[in-house]
Amino acid sequence: DQQVKQNSPSLSVQEGRISILNCDYTNSMFDYFLWYKKYPAEGPTFLISISSIKDKNEDGRFTVFLNKSAKHLSLHIVPSQPGDSAVYFCAASSTGTASKLTFGTGTRLQVTL
Amino acid sequence: NAGVTQTPKFRVLKTGQSMTLLCAQDMNHEYMYWYRQDPGMGLRLIHYSVGEGTTAKGEVPDGYNVSRLKKQNFLLGLESAAPSQTSVYFCASTGGRVEQYFGPGTRLTVT
């Protein structure tokens, strides 16, 4: 049972445009959500997070939106840069679970010139 | 400050062989985790530890054992490797915040 879903395996966006990566979850106990970025042959690196008490969190070019009623979150990257080309994983956690993360299957973003 | 390191980076095993993967962190983190990543599956939690001397099972623990004898180290063991354990293994740690810091990974092939 996939509790965190990323339904788009890949996304291609032109440099300078907006990239929107989507994530859906089924477990209503999740109260903290994260996005990780992964380059080939490297470990995932933390990008941005959001608590369930918020609906938006912004950090530079990266913004995460949370819609709790729809159990949906999205990552917006504006403007997209070639260095953003990577696999992006959505992850979720519940309070009191030793910070364990449940990951989605990832979306490969390619930013073209 | 090296963060999270993993040893080895690559390994090829024959079916039935055993091996131990080492994870070390120098951030004085209490919590440590082992994940495996397979194509199309994302990262799945194998085992985790909330402190020295403690371990617990994650989502996919079968065929693996772990030990946390020292706070900075978390070992993942395969007693009798199987081809289904061919994967990329990642270790992660955190000091109690939800954001985990990951190592560079170990690519394991079991033939």
Side-chain angles (χ1 to χ4, degrees):
Chain A
D1 178 28
Q2 192 77 24
Q3 299 185 67
V4 178
K5 301 176 185 178
Q6 294 177 255
N7 293 318
S8 299
S10 63
L11 176 67
S12 182
V13 172
Q14 272 190 322
E15 181 181 11
R17 306 293 288 267
I18 184 172
S19 296
I20 301 176
L21 292 87
N22 294 304
C23 178
D24 297 295
Y25 62 97
T26 58
N27 188 340
S28 58
M29 297 301 292
F30 289 145
D31 57 8
Y32 202 84
F33 304 89
L34 308 89
W35 285 94
Y36 279 83
K37 178 179 181 179
K38 185 183 180 306
Y39 292 118
E42 295 184 11
T45 54
F46 169 71
L47 193 57
I48 192 170
S49 62
I50 188 167
S51 164
S52 61
I53 63 173
K54 295 183 176 181
D55 54 18
K56 177 183 175 181
N57 189 27
E58 195 170 353
D59 184 1
R61 295 186 297 113
F62 303 91
T63 303
V64 56
F65 295 91
L66 175 63
N67 182 333
K68 282 187 295 184
S69 61
K71 294 191 174 67
H72 177 83
L73 63 154
S74 60
L75 174 68
H76 292 209
I77 306 174
V78 184
S80 300
Q81 299 174 353
D84 297 329
S85 297
V87 177
Y88 290 79
F89 289 100
C90 172
S93 182
S94 305
T95 300
T97 60
S99 301
K100 290 188 295 181
L101 296 177
T102 301
F103 283 85
T105 52
T107 296
R108 183 178 302 276
L109 173 66
Q110 184 174 7
V111 179
T112 60
L113 297 174
Chain B
N1 192 338
V4 180
T5 58
Q6 293 183 231
T7 309
K9 287 185 169 49
F10 304 93
R11 186 73 187 267
V12 179
L13 286 180
K14 292 188 185 327
T15 297
Q17 288 184 320
S18 64
M19 78 163 293
T20 300
L21 281 66
L22 170 64
C23 175
Q25 51 92 7
D26 60 3
M27 297 173 284
N28 201 34
H29 284 169
E30 287 292 335
Y31 296 0
M32 296 186 74
Y33 310 83
W34 276 107
Y35 294 88
R36 61 177 288 172
Q37 186 195 4
D38 302 294
M41 300 285 289
L43 282 80
R44 292 182 293 168
L45 183 64
I46 304 171
H47 285 281
Y48 65 102
S49 168
V50 299
E52 182 178 315
T54 74
T55 63
K57 293 180 180 180
E59 181 186 357
V60 288
D62 293 343
Y64 305 95
N65 56 76
V66 287
S67 63
R68 183 103 182 265
L69 299 179
K70 293 182 179 181
K71 184 177 183 179
Q72 64 267 35
N73 295 338
F74 195 28
L75 278 62
L76 177 71
L78 287 72
E79 292 184 347
S80 180
S84 61
Q85 294 177 305
T86 293
S87 189
V88 181
Y89 292 86
F90 291 102
C91 176
S93 71
T94 181
R97 293 174 59 87
V98 183
E99 297 83 0
Q100 296 177 13
Y101 294 84
F102 282 81
T106 295
R107 184 174 294 274
L108 174 66
T109 301
V110 182
T111 61

